[in-house]
Amino acid sequence: MLFAILYGVWLLPHTVFVRNSCLVGGALLSFPIIAKYWRLLFQRAAAPIWLIVLLLVWVTIHLLFIGQDFDRQYLEYTTIWKKIAIGCVFALGLGLAIGQNTNPKTAKTSWAIIYWGLLLPSLIYFGKYILGIVALHYGLTLSPYLILNPDHMGSPFGISRARYVFFCLPAMAVGLGCIANDLKRKPLHWQSAIFYLLSVPLTLTLFELEGDRLGAVYAIALLGVFALVVARNIIDVRRPILTMLALALMVSASVWLVQKVTYQSPLWHQFWADAKMAVQVDKYDAWQTRVLPINELGIPASDSNYMRISWAIVGTRLLMQNPLGYGLLSLSFGGLGKQIWPNAQISWTHSAWLDFALSYGLPALIMIWLAIALTWQEAKALNPPWNTLGRWGLFIAAAVMLTKEVSTEVVLNSMIFMIVWVAALGLSTPNTKPKLPPTPKPTPGQQ
């Protein structure tokens, strides 16, 4: 329940007390569990957890010997990384406790709480949306905590669209993964499948209301992967016509969704024209001044298209020049850039992974990517529905960080929490076959 509350409020502003209380409370509850099962940490499946421990050690070394802004980096170390470390303890205990549970009824209850927790960010969003409509109709004044503020940059209660994508997509991904698991059963559990499917319109509607085109693209990609998994499960050479019809329906639905997203946003129509300008970072300095150039269509380039591409190129160059990073989670791109271009108006690269690499260097990026890859692989051995947390939830969260400007405390904390949590779930799965009883030796008479 502490995890469900924590995940529900993780992206909400001015909820530090609730978040910290959940993290500390979860860590305190985890200590006895870890003390009981600590021997499970010394097996191959625990490699992702040790990689995260190594990452924490590297961040400490980076602070003491590598970073270029000690005062601000020390402040981040004693706030952001302290919370991440506490979250790792919470995640480890949570994973071990769930994994060691042998009571099916308790496991079922635990899963229900976990999944509702994953849904909470979307449910809170629509709760605010409905309250806003009611308040407008009846002329009521709502608390700022209950207002769905669209100004995420200028309002202290605003929430970035990128955070909604990161925190809301995993519920949809895990739900689709659960349906994919259920397809292997005979018969299919229709009640649970319908419940999980409700996450799809919930998530897509949220992205539509927020106007987040990349969120919609990720959702469509998820549906495409789900369609392939479904097709693989229903393919039957004895029923070629049914199989072909099912595949045709899935492909048609995917094409229709892609076209809808593409034509709905004018930014897609000028994407290639903007990209041709954006890649020429040495010829045009608009990425420094934020004064957008005119593209070949005769219109100003889109800020979203142009800056994403140009800053990705410039950020990658800076990373190659500074492979050990600058030291600040959200400000390293600007810090390194202004050493070369003092008047440049740059902040983030629009890629959380690139920002993370610019912060703590390529070694840190390799550690966390390797931890994600190993956790994703090990999650395959988990029993349903827990395997969906790693195979679907962790996968989509890591993918979102490729193109979203979410290199912030709450997002990184959530990502590392999920890595340790899913890896800890896998520690409870024996990796060796049970020993067979010894074969009795034959007596001389039997010989």
Side-chain angles (χ1 to χ4, degrees):
M1 287 190 281
L2 283 175
F3 166 78
I5 296 170
L6 174 64
Y7 196 85
V9 304
W10 230 332
L11 80 166
L12 301 178
H14 306 291
T15 57
V16 175
F17 176 77
V18 179
R19 281 183 267 145
N20 290 351
S21 298
C22 290
L23 285 170
V24 173
L28 291 175
L29 290 174
S30 296
F31 278 123
I33 306 295
I34 298 171
K36 184 177 180 180
Y37 298 111
W38 63 271
R39 290 178 180 84
L40 293 175
L41 293 171
F42 297 96
Q43 54 180 285
R44 187 182 66 179
I49 298 173
W50 289 110
L51 280 168
I52 296 301
V53 172
L54 188 61
L55 173 63
L56 294 175
V57 173
W58 169 256
V59 170
T60 304
I61 295 172
H62 200 284
L63 167 71
L64 297 175
F65 304 107
I66 301 173
Q68 302 183 36
D69 191 336
F70 181 84
D71 291 338
R72 287 198 291 179
Q73 189 173 356
Y74 179 77
L75 179 62
E76 283 194 357
Y77 184 81
T78 55
T79 53
I80 294 176
W81 287 99
K82 179 178 69 176
K83 294 177 185 177
I84 290 175
I86 295 172
C88 287
V89 177
F90 181 5
L92 180 57
L94 180 64
L96 289 172
I98 292 173
Q100 289 298 313
N101 175 50
T102 57
N103 187 327
K105 185 176 180 180
T106 306
K108 185 177 180 181
T109 303
S110 298
W111 175 254
I113 295 172
I114 293 296
Y115 190 71
W116 278 105
L118 295 176
L119 278 175
L120 267 182
S122 298
L123 296 177
I124 291 174
Y125 178 92
F126 284 102
K128 289 182 177 181
Y129 184 79
I130 294 171
L131 279 176
I133 295 175
V134 173
L136 182 63
H137 180 76
Y138 291 102
L140 304 176
T141 301
L142 295 175
S143 164
Y145 287 96
L146 302 177
I147 296 176
L148 197 61
N149 199 316
D151 184 10
H152 67 272
M153 295 295 291
S155 170
F157 287 90
I159 301 174
S160 168
R161 293 192 301 270
R163 290 192 185 186
Y164 278 123
V165 176
F166 179 85
F167 281 99
C168 295
L169 263 180
M172 174 180 165
V174 170
L176 293 175
C178 288
I179 298 173
N181 284 336
D182 288 343
L183 285 171
K184 301 175 183 177
R185 301 180 182 179
K186 303 293 182 182
L188 175 67
H189 292 173
W190 288 104
Q191 295 88 344
S192 60
I194 292 173
F195 171 73
Y196 289 129
L197 274 176
L198 291 176
S199 64
V200 176
L202 196 71
T203 306
L204 289 174
T205 303
L206 191 155
F207 294 159
E208 175 71 19
L209 293 173
E210 285 294 305
D212 196 296
R213 56 180 181 140
L214 282 178
V217 169
Y218 279 116
I220 291 171
L222 263 179
L223 291 173
V225 173
F226 175 70
L228 292 175
V229 173
V230 171
R232 186 184 64 182
N233 284 307
I234 67 172
I235 285 178
D236 189 342
V237 294
R238 294 169 298 178
R239 299 178 179 178
I241 297 178
L242 179 61
T243 299
M244 293 301 296
L245 286 175
L247 289 174
L249 179 61
M250 293 174 189
V251 171
S252 300
S254 300
V255 171
W256 178 79
L257 284 170
V258 170
Q259 287 182 337
K260 180 176 174 57
V261 171
T262 302
Y263 287 105
Q264 193 172 27
S265 173
L267 299 182
W268 291 113
H269 296 286
Q270 61 184 86
F271 178 81
W272 293 113
D274 294 342
K276 292 177 182 179
M277 304 287 293
V279 296
Q280 303 180 67
V281 294
D282 296 318
K283 182 177 181 180
Y284 302 103
D285 64 351
W287 55 270
Q288 296 183 45
T289 63
R290 303 294 296 269
V291 178
L292 296 171
I294 304 298
N295 61 27
E296 62 182 20
L297 300 177
I299 59 176
S302 161
D303 181 83
S304 178
N305 292 338
Y306 184 86
M307 295 305 173
R308 283 181 188 279
I309 298 171
S310 59
W311 283 355
I313 295 172
V314 175
T316 302
R317 289 183 180 180
L318 288 174
L319 179 59
M320 295 301 101
Q321 296 168 9
N322 302 271
L324 296 182
Y326 184 78
L328 297 176
L329 182 60
S330 302
L331 303 173
S332 291
F333 180 50
L336 290 171
K338 289 185 179 181
Q339 292 177 357
I340 304 174
W341 311 284
N343 298 320
Q345 300 179 30
I346 55 178
S347 53
W348 291 353
T349 64
H350 285 282
S351 169
W353 288 129
L354 182 54
D355 283 317
F356 181 76
L358 288 168
S359 302
Y360 303 106
L362 287 173
L365 184 66
I366 293 171
M367 289 177 207
I368 195 168
W369 273 7
L370 186 57
I372 291 171
L374 291 175
T375 303
W376 182 83
Q377 179 63 29
E378 293 292 337
K380 188 176 182 179
L382 292 174
N383 292 325
W386 302 103
N387 61 333
T388 60
L389 291 172
R391 302 293 289 181
W392 293 77
L394 179 63
F395 174 79
I396 195 61
V400 168
M401 292 182 69
L402 285 172
T403 59
K404 281 294 185 180
E405 60 279 14
V406 288
S407 184
T408 60
E409 172 201 331
V410 294
V411 170
L412 184 62
N413 199 339
S414 174
M415 172 57 66
I416 293 177
F417 186 102
M418 188 170 288
I419 294 170
V420 176
W421 177 27
V422 177
L425 286 169
L427 299 185
S428 304
T429 304
N431 292 324
T432 57
K433 295 180 180 180
K435 294 182 179 179
L436 298 174
T439 303
K441 295 181 180 180
T443 62
Q446 290 173 328
Q447 288 178 344

